[in-house]
Amino acid sequence: MADRTTTATMIPAASSSRKRARVPTTGAGDGGGGGEGRLGELPDELLLSILSCLTTRQAVQTSVLSRRWRHLWRSTPRFDVDPAEFARPPPSSAPWLLHGRGSTDPWERLRGFTARLLMSHAAPVLDAFRLRVATPFHRRADVESWVRRGIRRRPTALELAVGPPPGRFAAFAPPSLPALTTTSSSSPSRLTRLRLRGVVLESAFAGDLRSGCPALVDMELDRCKCFFHELSSATLRSLAMESCLWMRRPLGTNGDRTVSVVAPRLAYLRLLTFGHGDCKVFRFESGDSISEVSIRGGFNLINLFRLLRMMPNVTTLRLSGFGPTSKYLRECSENFPDLHNLTTLLLDRCVMNYKFQILRLFLQNTPTLEKVIYIYIYIYI
């Protein structure tokens, strides 16, 4: 290193005008490289992993980097479309796949992009299929077609969110969830995570979960219109059901909205109900495995305690939006569940009037209770 340094300092200044030998690079504009600098030297598998961290539209935009990147996005194992990216039209110089051929309607740009993308995408299976969209009334068939084609790629995660963004209200048509199993493939479903918001779940949905999803461990239903009344899964570990509209049973049955849950491996449960049409009664036929529960609104305390009776081994309990009335204090005491493993109780936005009688019930009947957390409580004078 000392000799090289000495030689460099002895070069005359005039020699700096000479052309230096070009070091071979794989720049973005070389026409045959794979990206700029060392990024282009990475193997395709690692580049695809990087592209999977982007939304699908962003991944398609990388096709302008070089010849190698031109079709790389077609093999990304994730499909992630966000309508917010189509609020503004891209410049006219953008690749043909990125815009709706001059359309000024955000939905038309989204529809054109998604339809062409599904035809061009070449990955045989997907790690994730994510679609967030506010569906116009006359376009629900498009969304159902896109999801159906995504399910055929046997994703391990399926996330479908339909409706306006939070805090905004708009008329939209909730699409029905296509069958989670495909008859064209003899391979079983790879689905491990299912998150649905604002979709219609027909009665056949229960059968899909019971026999067609042998690897499902995490499911979240948010503001869905449900026509099924039994949920059974031998593998499910985490379940969240929030603000779902449970339809009455057909004529000839008992006509109620009781939902039966059979999940022997379920460890985490989150329930949120409110408003007309919500299910007020859940029946857990195998709730011994549940250790963490979060319940908010929609239940009176008597139904809440009856529900907790089905989960005797819960260790962490979070209650939100509950408040006792003097009329039911005695009946609440008679129906208080046996929670001998409860160690943490979290009360959020609960009414604590009547001399904290409900809290007293917990303190007197939960011998292992170690921690009580108040996030926000109401005391009316």
Side-chain angles (χ1 to χ4, degrees):
M1 290 297 295
D3 293 341
R4 290 185 180 180
T5 304
T6 303
T7 303
T9 57
M10 293 177 62
I11 295 178
S15 64
S16 61
S17 61
R18 298 178 183 177
K19 293 183 179 180
R20 297 181 180 179
R22 176 173 294 181
V23 179
T25 61
T26 55
D30 64 352
E36 187 173 357
R38 293 186 177 182
L39 187 62
E41 301 174 3
L42 298 177
D44 285 354
E45 292 76 10
L46 189 51
L47 291 177
L48 290 175
S49 179
I50 295 174
L51 290 181
S52 296
C53 298
L54 308 175
T55 65
T56 302
R57 189 169 184 266
Q58 292 170 343
V60 173
Q61 289 175 325
T62 64
S63 62
V64 302
L65 294 179
S66 70
R67 184 181 301 172
R68 182 187 178 192
W69 290 76
R70 189 171 300 169
H71 301 289
L72 193 62
W73 61 269
R74 298 177 187 268
S75 300
T76 52
R78 293 175 182 262
F79 182 97
D80 188 349
V81 174
D82 188 345
E85 296 182 311
F86 298 87
R88 295 182 179 180
S92 58
S93 59
W96 65 274
L97 189 60
L98 297 182
H99 57 89
R101 300 191 183 279
S103 174
T104 58
D105 184 6
W107 170 261
E108 289 299 325
R109 291 197 297 274
L110 170 65
R111 185 187 63 83
F113 171 82
T114 305
R116 288 191 293 269
L117 178 71
L118 288 171
M119 290 189 298
S120 304
H121 204 273
V125 295
L126 295 174
D127 292 340
F129 182 92
R130 299 189 181 98
L131 180 63
R132 299 174 294 278
V133 60
T135 314
F137 282 99
H138 62 292
R139 292 301 188 185
R140 57 178 295 177
D142 289 334
V143 176
E144 292 172 356
S145 175
W146 300 339
V147 177
R148 189 178 298 110
R149 296 174 69 175
I151 292 175
R152 291 175 185 169
R153 304 290 179 91
R154 300 172 58 232
T156 56
L158 174 60
E159 300 181 14
L160 176 60
V162 180
R168 296 182 60 183
F169 298 91
F172 69 96
S176 295
L177 181 73
L180 295 175
T181 57
T182 57
T183 57
S184 59
S185 176
S186 58
S187 302
S189 170
R190 302 169 61 243
L191 201 62
T192 61
R193 184 169 70 251
L194 178 63
R195 296 184 178 178
L196 306 173
R197 187 184 75 191
V199 301
V200 177
L201 302 176
E202 305 291 350
S203 57
F205 177 75
D208 286 347
L209 291 182
R210 182 173 55 253
S211 58
C213 300
L216 185 65
V217 296
D218 181 9
M219 184 170 72
E220 180 177 325
L221 307 180
D222 181 10
R223 285 169 278 180
C224 293
K225 187 177 182 180
C226 304
F227 287 87
F228 65 94
H229 292 81
E230 180 181 351
L231 197 157
S232 178
S233 173
T235 58
L236 196 63
R237 294 176 180 269
S238 176
L239 173 63
M241 295 183 288
E242 301 188 359
S243 308
C244 292
L245 176 63
W246 302 90
M247 308 307 294
R248 291 188 181 276
R249 296 175 185 269
L251 294 176
T253 62
N254 57 13
D256 65 8
R257 294 189 178 95
T258 301
V259 177
S260 175
V261 178
V262 182
R265 302 183 67 181
L266 191 65
Y268 173 77
L269 172 67
R270 186 171 79 249
L271 295 177
L272 187 156
T273 67
F274 62 89
H276 175 72
D278 287 346
C279 175
K280 299 298 191 299
V281 180
F282 289 90
R283 183 171 63 250
F284 289 83
E285 299 183 8
S286 51
D288 293 349
S289 62
I290 301 177
S291 60
E292 185 175 351
V293 177
S294 177
I295 304 177
R296 178 182 176 187
F299 296 86
N300 61 46
L301 284 172
I302 298 175
N303 284 339
L304 170 66
F305 290 165
R306 289 172 180 171
L307 177 64
L308 291 176
R309 282 178 176 270
M310 307 174 196
M311 311 169 195
N313 296 321
V314 60
T315 60
T316 301
L317 176 62
R318 174 170 182 161
L319 302 178
S320 302
F322 289 96
T325 60
S326 58
K327 179 180 178 180
Y328 297 112
L329 282 178
R330 181 175 180 179
E331 193 171 355
C332 287
S333 178
E334 294 173 352
N335 287 276
F336 194 87
D338 295 326
L339 303 176
H340 295 300
N341 295 324
L342 185 67
T343 59
T344 302
L345 173 64
L346 192 150
L347 301 174
D348 180 14
R349 301 181 185 276
C350 293
V351 178
M352 302 304 295
N353 280 25
Y354 308 107
K355 301 180 181 180
F356 290 78
Q357 290 295 329
I358 299 302
L359 178 58
R360 182 175 299 179
L361 287 177
F362 275 98
L363 296 177
Q364 293 175 346
N365 295 279
T366 53
T368 59
L369 188 63
E370 300 175 355
K371 185 185 300 183
V372 178
I373 303 173
Y374 298 100
I375 293 182
Y376 194 89
I377 62 173
Y378 297 96
I379 300 178
Y380 298 111
I381 300 176

